[in-house]
């Protein structure tokens, strides 16, 4: 379980998050939406152990997150952050220690649908493929939790849908808890079991909306559209 209690994060004189209580149960898929600057990335960075110095608590399975990150947590950023001079295999390897064999790395590359591209350089990949390399890297150590910060926002509509389905498949495989930050309300609702809406500056939780549908889901389902409206109302747009 991923949890924050009364999480307040301040940068110099900016309060990014105030008293945020957030939780994702084991195996739950939670989307986080909110206007730019409300602290979504900050929340993810705290959970990923990338921020030292905050008030309140943040924990994964009861263990407080320590600055420096945990092996059990996979993180994927909006920008795939690949090393341009390194092959796909080398880029995925960055997430692992040296004891991991190339076979294991190649399994992972296979799992993200990039079989045959092990020796390719980032410049030879499409945006969607590069994003999948980042996802493979995020899956290092078989994480219990995947934290994704707008992983699909730079993709065209068609590739985005493809990658969303791909994420659901991968999640089925590894049974991870997922926290997905996104600007895209449609994406948030379609993918998640629950949508947490952050708002304001400093950011606080303004709504927590269940998505009352099993998977696979039909993107045109009335209930998805209704849920989307509830989220949009909470966002005040
Ligand atoms: N390293 C930092 N130093 C100073 N201020 C920061 C830092 N990181 C974030 N902030 C501030 O904290 C607030 C929240 O930023 P954050 O990046 O979490 O927002 P966000 O919701 O992810 O926005 P976006 O949707 O644009 O990505 C903003 O006011 C931002 O300026
Ligand atoms: Mg952000």
């Amino acid at each position: 379980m991923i949890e924050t209690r009364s999480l307040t994060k301040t940068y110099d004189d900016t309060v990014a998050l105030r008293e945020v209580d957030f939780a994702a149960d084991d195996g739950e898929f939670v989307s986080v939406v909110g206007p730019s600057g409300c602290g979504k990335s900050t929340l993810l960075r705290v959970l990923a152990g990338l921020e030292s110095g905050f008030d309140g608590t943040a924990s994964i399975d009861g263990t407080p997150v320590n600055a420096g990150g945990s092996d059990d947590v996979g993180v994927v950023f909006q920008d795939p952050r690949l090393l341009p001079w390194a092959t796909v295999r080398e880029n995925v390897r960055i997430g692992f220690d040296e004891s991991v064999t190339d076979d294991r790395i190649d399994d992972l590359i296979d799992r993200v649908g990039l079989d045959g591209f092990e020796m390719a350089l980032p410049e030879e990949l499409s945006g969607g493929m590069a994003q999948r390399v980042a996802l493979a890297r995020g899956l290092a150590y078989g994480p219990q939790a995947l934290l994704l910060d707008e992983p699909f926002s730079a993709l065209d509509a068609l590739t985005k849908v493809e990658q969303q389905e791909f994420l659901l498949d991968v999640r089925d495989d590894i049974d991870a808890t997922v926290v997905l930050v996104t600007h895209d309300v449609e994406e948030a609702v379609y993918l998640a079991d629950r949508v947490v809406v952050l708002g304001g500056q400093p950011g606080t939780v303004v709504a927590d909306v269940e998505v009352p549908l099993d998977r696979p889901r039909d993107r045109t389902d009335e209930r998805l559209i209704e849920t989307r409206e509830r989220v949009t109302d909470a966002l005040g747009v």
Side-chain angles (χ1 to χ4, degrees), residues 7 31-32 41 43 69 75 87-88 94 104 106 111 115 120 123 131 133 136 146 163 170 186 191 223:
L7 172 65
S31 292
V32 177
S41 295
L43 174 63
V75 189
T87 63
V88 165
I94 290 168
R104 168 95 174 84
D106 287 354
R111 187 192 283 174
D115 194 20
E123 64 185 22
Q131 200 52 258
V133 176
L146 261 183
Q163 295 299 306
V170 170
E186 189 176 342
L191 291 175
R223 288 165 297 174

Side-chain angles (χ1 to χ4, degrees), residues 120-201:
L121 292 171
E123 64 185 22
E124 301 170 70
L125 306 177
S126 71
M129 291 161 80
Q131 200 52 258
R132 279 181 279 162
V133 176
L135 186 57
R137 191 163 61 190
L139 293 172
Y141 300 104
Q144 294 171 325
L146 261 183
L147 308 175
L148 311 166
D149 195 354
E150 314 219 19
F152 309 136
S153 60
L155 305 177
D156 67 83
L158 212 62
T159 311
K160 187 191 264 198
V161 166
E162 202 178 275
Q163 295 299 306
Q164 289 168 349
E165 296 303 329
F166 173 70
L167 173 62
L168 290 176
D169 285 351
V170 170
R171 185 189 98 110
D172 275 355
D173 265 15
I174 63 170
D175 213 20
T177 309
V178 181
V179 180
L180 169 78
V181 165
T182 177
H183 270 108
D184 181 339
V185 175
E186 189 176 342
E187 171 173 283
V189 172
Y190 174 70
L191 291 175
D193 301 312
R194 198 153 55 78
V195 180
V196 170
V197 183
L198 295 184
Q201 221 164 356

